[in-house]
Amino acid sequence: MLSKVLLRLGGGAARHPWRVIAAWLIAAALAVLAAIAVGGRTADSMTAPGLDSGRAAELIERAGTGQEGMTAQVVVTPLDGGATFFDRGSARTALTRLQTEVERLPHVLGTGDPAGALDAGGDTAVRGGLVSADGRIAVVRVQYPDQSRLSGEDLDALVALGDRLRAELPLRIEMGGSLFYAFSDPDGGASELIGLLAAAAILFLAFGSLVAAALPIGMAVFGLTVGVATMTVLAGVTDVPTFAPVLGSMVGLGVGIDYALFVLARHREYLARGLDPREAAGRAVATAGRPVVFAGSTVVVSILGLAVANVPFMTVGGLAVSIVVLIMVVASVTLLPAFLGAAGPRLARASRIGRVLRTGKPGRPAGRQDPAAGAAHAAGWRRWIAHVSRHPVPYAVGAAGLLLTATLPVLGLRVGLPDDGSLPHSRTERRAHDLVAEGFGPGTNGPLVVAADPTGDPGVLDRLVEAVAADPGVASVAPAHVDRATGIATLVVFPTTSPQDRATAETVARLRTDVLPAAIGTGPARAHVGGAAASLSDVGQRTSERLPVLVATVLALSFLLLVPVFRSILVPLKAVLLNLLSIGAAYGVMVAVFQWGWGGALIGLEATVPIVSFIPMFLFAILFGLSMDYEVFLLSRVREEYLRTGDNGTAIVEGVSRTARIITSAALIMVAVFLSFAVAEDPSTKMFGLGLATAIFIDATVVRMVLVPATMTLLGRTNWWLPKWLDRLLPRSPVGTDDTDPEPTGEAPRPRPVDR
């Protein structure tokens, strides 16, 4: 049924290419216009239901202290390297002018007054953490309203003011804070371009044709335009996390080009057999398009599985990325065949430059691709797969041992929040972070906020301040702010350690379990620990707790989806287990690079950092779906050969060798796209890029080209075992039945399912 639908869809698009291309142009234009008209900006809401940090945020919002809004900080020190102090002369005057001009910016609710803090005298606690003990570093803390009332123009105004005052005042001025995190342009623009150029080069080498290389790129750009615009419209309705556009671009480019590559490769096979280009396009969509639909469905299901974490920003982020993937699937079976129909017979032959690059010889132009060319390219892979199949035990044991060894660093996985100290020194946020840490201690960069409702116990506030200040993990506590209307008090607490330090999470846990309960006692008062560091710690704990649930859910859904696809029990079971190996190895590489620093300099990592708390869960969902892509594409061809010949060994060798070149080319494209994001400035983007690239590389090489043929050889005909009762219940026309192939495929009778 699906084959017939795709045959009509692809054939119709190929016969009327310009109508379909025009429809996609209109869809892209409408999506962009909708994004401009009703779209919103991405926003990070790192909270989840039932977390202590969320309860603290609710109290802070009720109190209306302004601490629930966005903040920025302007960090200054005299240009003479600190020889001048802020408590005298021109430096004091410059500091006062800076604070006054910052306070006049649009939407600023108020600022800290470091000059006034100097007048108060005393130590840094009395000064409110605004001037360092030695008087050489000052901080102007800027309070904004909540993010919904702000835009990138507010950040631009602050940055422009800093640029102007640097030229007018004898001060070194650096800036940071949540305003930068929310409205700085996310990494991705340059990375996307680098990824596209790398993909174009690989496609040209794979097909030897500029036209063939351009079509998948064009399709992916169309799909990405519609997908990112749709994501922007979604941001106008709900909070879409800031990493979603970057991650959506990363995954969208990878799967879009890959899906197009598989359809294009099958199209060229049909052209080589002498089919009309439009008929070839329709049949390519009907055959290769089925694995695209099933593989894309697996990716979408895996990513939507993030909902089990019960963390809203992850659920919405997963939904946004899955929309991009879904659009790429639709483009692969509609827009791509339109491109193929418009290109006509030109796709059947390689350019002269392409022939030189691929063979080292100019060759002679040909009207059609030589049907033997594909077999010649597959000969090397056929020899390799046959070799692995003759020695399945050592290859299966060796490959599995290699991946398990690469997985071992996962035992040391530590989740946390990389702070601005992990950014490159070229960023003002990093320089501001270093100045604050130098002048006030590392914990000042990630203050905690204790929100307390002292209802019924008026003396509890003094006990809380005393108990919190006495904790060994707390450097200082700013004077409490009490809202007169609600009576809610907020304490800004500065830890002794940086936000990304494990000790900070331990301090948060100790405050919650020991310090606050002891200070409150059995009275009716209540207190909660919030702030960015506490929120990320809570989210990290929640995702760690829910990761096994996600793994079990995705594995079960993928298994159930693949059983009717391959009409087998063991093939889907083996697929999910092998995917776990490649994902585990990718986790291990991430720990070695980001936590241990192995090779970090190669991707521009200047300091070791913990793994961002939500990334392991996100990576699992995405990587499992992407790994299943290659499993579906490869095993679909293996099953075609098995149904044609009835021989398991022949099916493995022929099926894997015929798809190996395309799978490795597709993997190279994905790895190139993902690695282009691994060199971005933001550590989170680096983690996504490196983790995805590593897993895809391992999956397309060690897993698909070694473990799959070795294990399938060991299992023999049992690969295709399916109970008779289940065979009767499952729908017919699995992916592996090439019922649209223009050439007869019935040389051997269709084997019956093995029932044991």
Side-chain angles (χ1 to χ4, degrees):
M1 182 64 180
L2 179 60
S3 298
K4 294 178 180 178
V5 172
L6 292 176
L7 179 63
R8 288 196 296 268
L9 189 64
R15 287 190 297 272
H16 308 286
W18 299 114
R19 296 180 188 178
V20 176
I21 294 171
W24 270 91
L25 282 170
I26 293 172
L30 291 176
V32 171
L33 289 175
I36 295 173
V38 300
R41 290 189 65 95
T42 56
D44 286 308
S45 179
M46 301 295 185
T47 59
L51 298 180
D52 190 67
S53 55
R55 299 187 184 100
E58 291 172 1
L59 286 179
I60 294 170
E61 187 173 0
R62 278 180 52 198
T65 61
Q67 290 173 330
E68 73 276 11
M70 305 294 295
T71 61
Q73 59 183 15
V74 182
V75 189
V76 294
T77 189
L79 279 176
D80 57 10
T84 302
F85 297 87
F86 278 119
D87 58 356
R88 65 174 75 98
S90 60
R92 171 66 175 269
T93 303
L95 180 61
T96 302
R97 180 185 168 190
L98 172 73
Q99 185 262 333
T100 301
E101 296 214 24
V102 169
E103 197 167 29
R104 292 174 180 169
L105 289 174
H107 298 132
V108 171
L109 300 178
T111 65
D113 183 8
L118 284 168
D119 294 336
D123 58 17
T124 54
V126 175
R127 297 174 183 174
L130 299 179
V131 182
S132 63
D134 60 9
R136 291 190 175 96
I137 298 174
V139 179
V140 177
R141 303 190 188 279
V142 190
Q143 185 66 52
Y144 287 91
D146 63 83
Q147 188 169 340
S148 63
R149 297 170 56 188
L150 302 175
S151 69
E153 294 178 358
D154 294 284
L155 176 60
D156 295 340
L158 180 62
V159 171
L161 176 63
D163 292 340
R164 178 168 63 82
L165 293 181
R166 285 188 186 98
E168 298 176 3
L169 300 178
L171 301 176
R172 174 187 169 190
I173 302 174
E174 307 295 350
M175 301 179 178
S178 60
L179 188 72
F180 282 79
Y181 184 78
F183 294 111
S184 292
D185 291 332
D187 292 331
S191 297
E192 291 169 12
L193 180 59
I194 295 171
L196 284 173
L197 292 175
I202 295 169
L203 286 168
F204 181 63
L205 290 174
F207 291 118
S209 166
L210 289 174
V211 177
L215 296 189
I217 299 293
M219 190 213 79
V221 170
F222 261 97
L224 194 60
T225 301
V226 177
V228 173
T230 305
M231 194 182 299
T232 305
V233 173
L234 181 64
V237 179
T238 185
D239 288 339
V240 175
T242 54
F243 63 80
V246 175
L247 188 58
S249 299
M250 206 184 304
V251 176
L253 282 178
V255 300
I257 296 173
D258 268 18
Y259 294 165
L261 176 60
F262 282 100
V263 174
L264 176 60
R266 186 61 70 96
H267 175 71
R268 282 164 61 94
E269 286 185 23
Y270 288 139
L271 290 178
R273 298 179 186 182
L275 267 70
D276 175 78
R278 295 177 180 181
E279 183 181 357
R283 293 184 181 273
V285 172
T287 51
R290 283 174 301 173
V292 165
V293 171
F294 280 103
S297 301
T298 307
V299 175
V300 170
V301 167
S302 298
I303 297 175
L304 291 180
L306 289 166
V308 304
N310 196 24
V311 179
F313 80 87
M314 292 181 63
T315 302
V316 176
L319 175 62
V321 175
S322 65
I323 288 173
V324 177
V325 175
L326 188 60
I327 290 172
M328 289 299 183
V329 172
V330 175
S332 299
V333 297
T334 57
L335 179 60
L336 181 62
F339 283 163
L340 299 179
R346 285 175 292 176
L347 291 174
R349 51 184 178 268
S351 67
R352 182 177 295 274
I353 296 177
R355 289 192 297 275
V356 172
L357 290 175
R358 295 172 66 194
T359 66
K361 301 176 182 179
R364 291 185 301 175
R368 289 195 181 274
Q369 183 181 355
D370 182 2
H377 285 297
W381 285 112
R382 186 178 292 107
R383 287 192 295 271
W384 168 252
I385 301 303
H387 172 72
V388 172
S389 299
R390 287 193 299 270
H391 308 88
V393 174
Y395 276 106
V397 173
L402 176 65
L403 295 184
L404 288 173
T405 301
T407 305
L408 288 177
V410 174
L411 298 175
L413 176 67
R414 179 171 70 88
V415 297
L417 171 66
D419 53 33
D420 286 345
S422 60
L423 295 174
H425 285 90
S426 59
R427 296 275 292 268
T428 184
E429 301 102 298
R430 168 62 186 273
R431 298 192 295 269
H433 171 280
D434 291 347
L435 279 176
V436 169
E438 176 188 342
F440 305 93
T444 312
N445 283 299
L448 307 173
V449 181
V450 176
D453 183 355
T455 302
D457 189 354
V460 71
L461 185 57
D462 292 335
R463 298 198 305 271
L464 281 174
V465 172
E466 182 179 353
V468 171
D471 186 86
V474 174
S476 63
V477 180
H481 180 281
V482 181
D483 179 61
R484 293 183 179 180
T486 62
I488 294 174
T490 53
L491 307 176
V492 179
V493 179
F494 298 100
T496 57
T497 50
S498 68
Q500 70 179 29
D501 199 308
R502 185 195 298 270
T504 302
E506 294 172 352
T507 298
V508 171
R510 191 169 54 252
L511 290 176
R512 288 172 173 165
T513 58
D514 300 330
V515 177
L516 299 186
I520 292 174
T522 58
R526 57 194 178 103
H528 306 283
V529 182
S535 295
L536 265 294
S537 177
D538 288 350
V539 169
Q541 184 175 354
R542 169 69 61 85
T543 55
S544 298
E545 293 171 353
R546 296 297 179 91
L547 183 59
V549 180
L550 172 70
V551 171
T553 302
V554 171
L555 292 183
L557 290 175
S558 299
F559 177 79
L560 294 175
L561 182 65
L562 292 179
V563 167
V565 170
F566 295 115
R567 308 190 70 79
S568 165
I569 297 295
L570 293 182
V571 166
L573 181 61
K574 175 183 61 64
V576 297
L577 293 178
L578 293 184
N579 286 350
L580 286 177
L581 279 178
S582 60
I583 294 172
Y587 280 3
V589 170
M590 287 176 59
V591 171
V593 172
F594 291 98
Q595 291 183 206
W596 300 351
W598 293 6
L602 297 176
I603 58 173
L605 189 67
E606 298 185 359
T608 58
V609 294
I611 305 301
V612 177
S613 56
F614 57 84
I615 283 183
M617 183 173 279
F618 245 106
L619 277 183
F620 175 82
I622 295 171
L623 286 173
F624 193 87
L626 295 180
S627 297
M628 294 304 288
D629 280 1
Y630 295 128
E631 187 77 7
V632 171
F633 288 129
L634 186 149
L635 292 183
S636 296
R637 196 58 179 263
V638 172
R639 182 162 177 80
E640 284 182 24
E641 295 296 328
Y642 181 67
L643 295 175
R644 185 177 66 85
T645 65
D647 182 82
N648 184 70
T650 301
I652 294 170
V653 174
E654 292 299 318
V656 177
S657 62
R658 286 178 180 272
T659 55
R661 184 167 66 95
I662 299 301
I663 285 179
T664 51
S665 298
L668 280 175
I669 290 170
M670 268 204 186
V671 169
V673 170
F674 295 151
L675 281 181
S676 68
F677 286 85
V679 297
E681 292 184 341
D682 182 67
S684 300
T685 305
K686 290 181 184 291
M687 290 178 194
F688 276 124
L690 182 65
L692 291 168
T694 302
I696 294 301
F697 175 78
I698 292 172
D699 190 82
T701 53
V702 179
V703 173
R704 302 301 151 207
M705 299 302 132
V706 180
L707 272 175
V708 166
T711 54
M712 291 191 76
T713 300
L714 291 173
L715 290 172
R717 285 175 59 86
T718 313
N719 281 301
W720 312 109
W721 171 69
L722 187 71
K724 290 182 178 179
W725 63 268
L726 185 57
D727 182 48
R728 289 191 296 268
L729 293 176
L730 293 177
R732 310 307 298 178
S733 186
V735 167
T737 306
D738 194 2
D739 53 20
T740 63
D741 198 314
E743 295 185 357
T745 59
E747 293 88 340
R750 173 175 294 190
R752 298 179 60 84
V754 180
D755 187 14
R756 297 184 179 180

